[in-house]
Amino acid sequence: MAPQTTPETQAGATLSLDGKSLTLPVVRGSEGETAVDVQQLRAKTGMITLDPGFANTGSCRSAITFIDGEKGILRYRGYPIDDLAQHSSFLEVAWLLLHGALPTRAELGTFTHDVTHHTLLHEDFDRFFDAMPKDAHPMPVAAAAVGALATYYQDPETEDNLRDAIVRLIAKMPTIAAYSYKHSIGQPSMYPQNRLDYASNFLRMMFATPCEEYEVDPTLARAIDLLLILHADHEQNCSTSTVRMVGSSRANLFASVSAGISALWGPLHGGANQKVIEMLERIAAEEGSAEVFLNRAKDKNDTTRLMGFGHRVYKSYDPRAAILKKACGEVIGRMKSASRMLDIAMRLEEIALKDDYFVSHKLYPNVDFYSGVIYKAMGIPMNMFTVMFAMGRMPGWIAQWLEMRNDPDTKIARPRQIYTGATQRAYVPMAKRG
Ligand code: CMC
């Protein structure tokens, strides 16, 4: 396991109200970040905290991912994202997230073998895909399929069964993703092949047909692997918090992750990568409209946002976006196709980063700004972009779920509220309501 630093608890913050004061403990994490521990607040004062969007609320202690949003730092289990992106593979990163340490050669070999040999879906799953409308978006299909895995693997939750469930989720996600795409275009699904690595297997299942084999370009497979690494975890974001929240009721792993996929679908979260390309295409269709679009994004009376820009945590350049911007050039060079989308994206970024509004609001490109440009250049259909995000996030969701499950401080997630509705009133019978 990774070296874990027990957060130091100090006597600390004093809260004064109505002439009384309460001293609350202050918790310090291993990177020096601090929190006021309010667990005793309601018991001692009757009050709760109010924090819509949980922007100031730490929901757990976690030893998995560290982000410093001001400095643009992202580390998995202490390892900088740039180092992992440059030297690691997705399955190595998955192991790291799950186990807290980089795998030995033998551990990675066994894990890769296990994942490779669990990629098949039960044949009955064909009926599941057949039941979906032909034009179904692959995201809800993927969420439903992952939830449906719980009906195939109903074993009691022993450590061994859980280990199998983890391998199955990571192994079957690319198969589910590719099957949902093939179904949407009316082509037969392609079985996974054990001779191929994780990313190559996915690309082949997407693009081969029974009539024509698909030769996987190693540059593109490496780009997919890189994208998966960059998406693998991102601490307590919306979908991960959802996975933890659902899991806190002791719902099983498949059910918890299925809920996470649904949370990821929203355009303010993982769905932004599809929205970025829709935005770039709109700008491309209306010649010279980058400036016009940015003005709309700045206008308080207009709900338009510059998709792929801004982040709850990063208040400087998202390090994942920087890595992807470079990778975009490489993939597009390999495809030997000029990318109008990349040109427009770079132009938008250039204008936005000089614009007072974006500078003063600390809005920078996030991971979704360039990922869609790469997917598009590779021929991955737009409605699959967020499914790719889900495929990458799988080990992170699982690692966070395991950490939640093994944390003695975990309680069922059950926030409070400030009620603002009607106070008690007398029921009016229908006859008197007119
Ligand atoms: N374009 C224009 N204005 C923006 C944008 C944007 N993309 N993002 C934030 N703002 C403004 C917002 O209008 C607000 O302005 P003001 O304070 O003047 O009212 C201010 O910045 C703060 O915005 P917020 O919505 O309160 O910030 P948040 O932390 O709740 O939202 C966000 C974070 C990611 C939802 C938001 O920046 C956004 O909607 N971005 C576009 C969608 C997007 O790219 N999402 C992908 C996020 S990265 C992948 C992931 O981890 O899911």
Side-chain angles (χ1 to χ4, degrees):
M1 286 299 292
Q4 295 203 1
T5 316
T6 308
E8 194 188 323
T9 304
Q10 306 167 332
T14 304
L15 178 73
S16 302
L17 189 89
D18 296 338
K20 289 187 204 146
S21 70
L22 171 69
T23 301
L24 295 162
V26 170
V27 178
R28 199 175 291 277
S30 54
E31 289 283 353
E33 72 280 31
T34 48
V36 179
D37 179 344
V38 295
Q39 289 183 79
Q40 290 301 312
L41 184 66
R42 205 178 68 83
K44 294 207 169 146
T45 66
M47 285 193 299
I48 59 168
T49 55
L50 182 63
D51 186 17
F54 310 122
N56 306 284
T57 298
S59 61
C60 59
R61 292 174 162 95
S62 181
I64 301 173
T65 289
F66 173 69
I67 302 175
D68 182 331
E70 299 298 328
K71 295 190 184 139
I73 290 173
L74 169 62
R75 296 186 203 124
Y76 299 159
R77 301 284 193 182
Y79 296 101
I81 192 65
D82 297 78
D83 290 349
L84 294 169
Q86 200 180 338
H87 304 295
S88 201
S89 69
F90 175 62
L91 289 186
E92 189 180 345
V93 165
W95 176 279
L96 170 68
L97 290 168
L98 293 168
H99 296 273
L102 290 168
T104 62
R105 195 180 295 276
E107 285 167 339
L108 183 59
T110 307
F111 183 56
T112 305
H113 176 275
D114 290 349
V115 168
T116 306
H117 288 81
H118 282 86
T119 47
L120 271 178
L121 293 177
H122 193 289
E123 281 296 296
D124 288 355
F125 241 93
D126 282 350
R127 286 191 283 126
F128 168 90
F129 288 107
D130 281 348
M132 300 288 153
K134 274 278 170 275
D135 57 352
H137 193 290
M139 263 313 256
V141 175
V146 167
L149 288 178
T151 66
Y152 287 86
Y153 306 107
Q154 306 191 48
D155 325 305
E157 200 182 275
T158 62
E159 286 305 312
D160 279 352
N161 291 341
L162 196 51
R163 202 177 49 236
D164 290 346
I166 292 167
V167 166
R168 283 183 176 124
L169 267 172
I170 294 175
K172 293 182 199 309
M173 189 61 199
T175 317
I176 288 174
Y179 277 31
S180 54
Y181 169 61
K182 285 293 198 188
H183 174 76
S184 75
I185 57 168
Q187 284 188 6
S189 308
M190 299 300 292
Y191 284 118
Q193 291 205 344
N194 291 352
R195 67 184 169 87
L196 295 173
D197 63 64
Y198 194 82
S200 304
N201 205 9
F202 168 71
L203 283 170
R204 186 186 162 277
M205 285 191 285
M206 285 285 290
F207 298 121
T209 69
C211 319
E212 196 169 354
E213 205 23 92
Y214 173 83
E215 287 309 321
V216 181
D217 181 331
T219 307
L220 301 194
R222 174 61 197 151
I224 292 285
D225 208 63
L226 173 71
L227 280 149
L228 298 178
I229 292 172
L230 297 180
H231 286 95
D233 195 50
H234 214 232
E235 51 119 306
Q236 308 312 317
N237 55 81
C238 175
S239 58
T240 301
S241 299
T242 301
V243 170
R244 279 182 175 261
M245 189 172 224
V246 173
S248 77
S249 75
R250 303 269 171 223
N252 76 23
L253 181 59
F254 298 110
S256 306
V257 168
S258 166
I261 297 175
S262 297
L264 186 73
W265 190 20
L268 296 188
H269 192 8
N273 52 16
Q274 177 173 345
K275 295 290 167 202
V276 169
I277 295 296
E278 287 170 6
M279 170 185 84
L280 297 178
E281 285 185 343
R282 212 164 64 233
I283 293 173
E286 300 160 17
E287 198 59 46
S289 65
E291 286 80 358
V292 177
F293 189 88
L294 280 184
N295 285 336
R296 288 185 57 200
K298 293 190 292 185
D299 184 350
K300 281 249 166 284
N301 301 315
D302 192 321
T303 55
T304 304
R305 285 197 163 192
L306 179 54
M307 298 311 284
F309 253 69
H311 199 276
R312 172 64 62 77
V313 181
Y314 291 119
K315 299 303 165 200
S316 62
Y317 213 102
D318 180 338
R320 302 167 300 172
I323 296 169
L324 282 179
K325 187 177 177 184
K326 189 160 165 270
C328 268
E330 284 162 18
V331 168
I332 287 162
R334 181 76 189 174
M335 301 304 282
K336 296 191 179 61
S337 61
S339 170
R340 184 90 204 281
M341 295 300 112
L342 180 59
D343 295 344
I344 297 172
M346 289 183 14
R347 170 95 185 111
L348 270 176
E349 179 188 328
E350 192 190 333
I351 312 174
L353 294 186
K354 286 186 196 142
D355 187 289
D356 271 356
Y357 175 90
F358 289 91
V359 172
S360 63
H361 285 74
K362 298 188 175 174
L363 299 170
Y364 293 87
N366 60 50
V367 69
D368 289 323
F369 196 65
Y370 286 108
S371 61
V373 176
I374 302 193
Y375 292 138
K376 190 158 170 63
M378 285 182 179
I380 297 203
M382 229 168 11
N383 62 4
M384 282 296 290
F385 292 0
T386 315
V387 182
M388 306 292 303
F389 193 151
M391 209 190 304
R393 187 54 55 86
M394 187 60 77
W397 285 330
I398 299 171
Q400 299 273 352
W401 186 92
L402 287 172
E403 190 178 63
M404 175 277 305
R405 184 174 166 275
N406 295 329
D407 183 348
D409 286 344
T410 295
K411 296 183 171 117
I412 185 167
R414 204 306 184 184
R416 296 261 172 174
Q417 63 168 18
I418 294 294
Y419 175 68
T420 59
T423 52
Q424 183 173 335
R425 44 187 170 168
Y427 178 77
V428 182
M430 185 65 79
K432 291 195 178 165
R433 273 182 257 159

